[in-house]
């Protein structure tokens, strides 16, 4: 070995979003002038900078390079000890590679983001919002969720009441809001409320929303019923007060004519006719007359001579049309999808595990079109390139979008100047199925298969977070 190395210090600690420097000393113990190239390796290599990247040493001389570690303040910078190493390759003897190793401890931090979906819910007897909780820190998050409002107008049924979220993941907490008093008549009323996330040792983090409680019966119907009851009571009172007295002189007239009002004897009575059977069929409708048929034929002849209308433009072949046709042939759970490629446009829809997109053509995906059958719908959001990023990552370009089974869901954008997609987050309905995905990322190849959790309480992320990469192809199954 013609090289001596030393890390000073061998172990360091750094805060996410900060930086720390480690000095690497080396001595050329050989007998020739050599040039050394330095390359960081390991999990922390993307956040490591070596200066200078090459160093030329004469025999017996010592040189120094500096390693600067700058982990981002994101879930990727996992808290705890992280080993690192530097590969040193001599130019004169490339086979004599040296890899000094050290340890970098990243301090933990906690960051939670929560959002109500939707922020406003409406109902007469209950409302069902969802609370999306994202763990943006680099440690596991354990918290409880509770609800409150001014005036104690609502009761809360929250499931799950306690959550545990890994770094970079998110969960959906389902809440059922029930008003303590029902509005039987009248207009709707707004009930502001808040769902609070409580972590150990910190104050609660509240997310505010609004429950719009509707009246059981509209105001106009209450007014109508009140007027109707008043009129009915008035009519009854008038009837009682002025009941008409009906008298007849038929008896006197009969007696004057000498005719008895007694019924005839039974022997002279006539039996009543037999009532029709309830099952008797109704008579058939009369057939059209010959003149009507002749008139219809003449009208048809006149129509046949008219110039036919031009055919409509063919309908676009979307994911919804594909999944509808597939479900008609093979009922059950299916997912169909297509991709909008840069400088190329929409691909043909594919279904159930087939590839949408390209591999090795450097065509980023800008938008995805998805549709499902028999999954209680689907929801998704796009993670796109962010030119103003300060941590080397993209961002989500809007709230979640959701559709029912058989409808088209679009995420991302097909506009020329809008950013391309780095990844996506999605899930399917709550009761029947989960969605699984695998993605092809530029310079990384196909990622492993990932699925969301049953029940719809979670979602699955596919793609990459890095602004330096992009999404090229996708495969989905349900």
């Amino acid at each position: 070995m013609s090289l001596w190395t030393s890390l000073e210090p061998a172990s360091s600690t750094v805060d996410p979003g900060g930086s720390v420097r480690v000095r690497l000393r080396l001595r050329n113990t050989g007998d020739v002038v050599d040039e050394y190239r330095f390359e960081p390796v390991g999990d922390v290599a993307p956040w490591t900078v070596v200066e200078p990247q090459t160093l030329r040493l004469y025999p017996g001389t010592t040189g120094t390079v500096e390693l600067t570690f700058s982990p981002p303040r994101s879930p990727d910078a996992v808290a705890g000890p992280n080993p690192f190493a530097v590969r040193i390759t001599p130019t004169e003897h490339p086979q004599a590679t040296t890899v000094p190793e050290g340890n970098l401890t990243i301090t933990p931090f906690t960051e939670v983001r929560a959002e109500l979906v939707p922020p406003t819910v409406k109902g007469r007897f209950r409302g069902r919002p969802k609370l999306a909780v994202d763990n943006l820190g680099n440690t596991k998050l354990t918290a409880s969720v509770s609800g409150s409002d001014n005036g104690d107008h609502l009761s809360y049924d929250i499931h799950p009441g306690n959550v545990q979220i890994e770094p970079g993941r998110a969960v959906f907490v389902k809440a059922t809001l029930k008003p303590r008093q029902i509005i039987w008549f009248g207009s709707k009323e707004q009930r502001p409320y808040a769902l609070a996330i409580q972590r150990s040792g910190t104050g609660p983090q509240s997310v505010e929303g609004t429950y719009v409680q509707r009246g059981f019966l509209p105001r106009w119907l209450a007014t109508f019923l009140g007027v109707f009851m008043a009129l009915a009571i008035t009519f009854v009172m008038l009837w009682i007060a002025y009941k008409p007295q009906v008298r007849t002189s038929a008896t006197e007239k009969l007696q004057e004519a000498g005719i008895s009002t007694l019924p005839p004897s039974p022997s002279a009575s006539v039996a009543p006719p037999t009532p029709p059977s309830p099952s008797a069929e109704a008579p058939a409708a009369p057939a059209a007359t010959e003149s009507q048929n002749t008139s219809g034929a003449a009208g048809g002849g006149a129509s046949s001579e008219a110039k036919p209308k031009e055919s409509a433009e063919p309908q676009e072949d979307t994911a919804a049309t594909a999944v509808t046709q597939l479900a008609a042939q093979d009922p059950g759970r299916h997912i169909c999808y297509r991709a909008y490629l840069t400088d190329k446009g929409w691909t043909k829809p594919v279904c159930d595990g087939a590839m949408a997109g390209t591999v090795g053509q450097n065509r980023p995906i800008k938008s995805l079109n998805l549709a499902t059958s028999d999954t209680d719908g689907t929801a998704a959001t796009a993670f796109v390139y962010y030119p103003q990023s300060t941590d080397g990552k993209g961002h989500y370009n809007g709230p979640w979008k959701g559709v029912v089974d058989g409808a088209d869901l679009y995420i991302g954008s097909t506009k020329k100047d809008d950013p391309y997609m780095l990844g996506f987050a999605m899930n399917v309905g709550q009761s029947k199925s989960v969605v699984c995905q695998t993605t092809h990322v530029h310079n990384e190849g196909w990622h492993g298969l990932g699925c969301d959790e049953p029940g719809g309480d979670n979602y699955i992320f596919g793609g990459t977070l890095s602004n330096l990469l992009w999404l090229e192809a996708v495969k989905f199954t349900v």
Side-chain angles (χ1 to χ4, degrees):
M1 181 66 65
S2 60
L3 181 65
W4 170 86
T5 61
S6 174
L7 284 170
E8 299 176 357
S11 297
S12 300
T13 301
V14 63
D15 296 327
S19 63
V20 67
R21 293 183 178 182
V22 174
R23 180 177 297 177
L24 174 62
R25 298 181 60 195
L26 64 161
R27 179 186 299 121
N28 183 357
T29 58
D31 53 2
V32 296
V33 178
D34 209 340
E35 186 177 65
Y36 303 93
R37 289 182 289 106
F38 305 94
E39 179 185 3
V41 294
D43 293 338
V44 300
W47 319 318
T48 307
V49 177
V50 182
E51 294 179 344
Q53 295 183 350
T54 61
L55 185 64
R56 187 178 182 85
L57 294 177
Y58 287 90
T61 60
T62 302
T64 302
V65 297
E66 285 190 346
L67 308 178
T68 302
F69 301 97
S70 304
R73 187 177 176 84
S74 72
D76 293 335
V78 180
N82 292 267
F84 69 88
V86 180
R87 182 185 294 116
I88 306 174
T89 305
T91 303
E92 297 296 330
H93 304 284
Q95 70 280 2
T97 300
T98 303
V99 186
E101 298 180 354
N103 187 72
L104 179 67
T105 300
I106 300 177
T107 59
F109 78 95
T110 303
E111 184 175 346
V112 181
R113 181 175 62 192
E115 180 183 5
L116 277 171
V117 183
T120 301
V121 291
K122 301 178 181 179
R124 292 179 174 84
F125 304 109
R126 63 182 57 84
R128 292 190 175 93
K130 288 184 179 180
L131 180 66
V133 184
D134 294 86
N135 182 6
L136 304 181
N138 63 350
T139 59
K140 187 175 183 178
L141 171 67
T142 301
S144 61
V145 182
S146 60
S148 63
D149 62 277
N150 293 330
D152 196 26
H153 296 295
L154 305 172
S155 64
Y156 303 86
D157 182 11
I158 299 174
H159 180 76
N162 297 281
V163 294
Q164 291 185 341
I165 312 174
E166 297 294 334
R169 303 283 291 179
V171 298
F172 283 94
V173 178
K174 295 182 290 185
T176 301
L177 315 178
K178 295 182 179 180
R180 299 188 185 277
Q181 292 184 348
I182 298 175
I183 302 176
W184 293 104
F185 299 98
S187 60
K188 59 187 177 183
E189 295 186 11
Q190 294 190 355
R191 312 285 192 192
Y193 71 95
L195 296 183
I197 304 170
Q198 179 68 59
R199 294 179 285 121
S200 176
T202 63
Q205 179 178 341
S206 297
V207 182
E208 297 181 352
T210 303
Y211 171 62
V212 180
Q213 183 180 359
R214 296 170 173 168
F216 183 74
L217 296 176
R219 184 182 297 274
W220 68 265
L221 183 57
T223 303
F224 172 79
L225 292 177
V227 173
F228 178 79
M229 290 298 297
L231 292 176
I233 293 174
T234 303
F235 177 78
V236 171
M237 296 300 295
L238 292 174
W239 176 268
I240 294 175
Y242 301 101
K243 182 178 180 181
Q245 301 295 326
V246 179
R247 300 181 63 183
T248 178
S249 58
T251 303
E252 290 83 355
K253 297 296 183 181
L254 290 174
Q255 291 176 352
E256 291 176 0
I259 302 176
S260 173
T261 58
L262 295 176
S265 63
S267 59
S269 63
V270 180
T274 304
S277 173
S279 61
E281 296 183 357
T289 62
E290 182 179 354
S291 61
Q292 290 173 333
N293 293 336
T294 305
S295 174
S303 300
S304 63
E305 294 177 1
K307 183 178 180 180
K309 296 182 179 180
E310 296 181 358
S311 60
E313 295 183 359
Q315 186 179 5
E316 182 182 3
D317 193 8
T318 67
T321 59
V323 81
T324 302
Q325 296 173 1
L326 180 58
Q329 300 172 2
D330 181 16
R333 292 191 293 270
H334 299 286
I335 182 170
C336 295
Y337 43 94
R338 57 177 182 156
Y340 189 92
L341 306 180
T342 302
D343 298 329
K344 188 174 181 179
W346 287 109
T347 63
K348 291 288 186 180
V350 295
C351 304
D352 297 342
M355 185 186 80
T358 59
V359 173
Q361 297 185 18
N362 292 334
R363 291 188 183 273
I365 292 178
K366 296 195 65 175
S367 177
L368 288 175
N369 170 211
L370 309 100
T372 60
S373 68
D374 197 26
T375 67
D376 288 343
T378 182
T381 182
F383 192 79
V384 302
Y385 172 76
Y386 185 40
Q388 287 81 31
S389 173
T390 59
D391 59 1
K393 301 188 184 305
H395 74 147
Y396 288 102
N397 70 334
W400 282 69
K401 299 178 181 178
V403 297
V404 298
D405 283 336
D408 279 310
L409 172 63
Y410 291 91
I411 58 174
S413 174
T414 60
K415 295 182 179 179
K416 181 178 180 181
D417 296 330
D418 283 356
Y420 51 80
M421 290 180 60
L422 307 180
F424 55 84
M426 70 176 299
N427 63 9
V428 292
Q430 301 178 1
S431 62
K432 290 187 177 181
S433 182
V434 299
V435 62
C436 298
Q437 57 78 31
T438 179
T439 58
H440 190 282
V441 176
H442 178 67
N443 284 344
E444 290 187 354
W446 286 104
H447 286 194
L449 182 69
C451 303
D452 69 339
E453 295 181 3
D457 291 337
N458 211 330
Y459 69 84
I460 187 68
F461 180 86
T464 178
L465 300 175
S466 174
N467 255 340
L468 302 178
L469 305 174
W470 57 76
L471 191 63
E472 291 188 333
V474 296
K475 299 178 182 179
F476 296 102
T477 56
V478 291

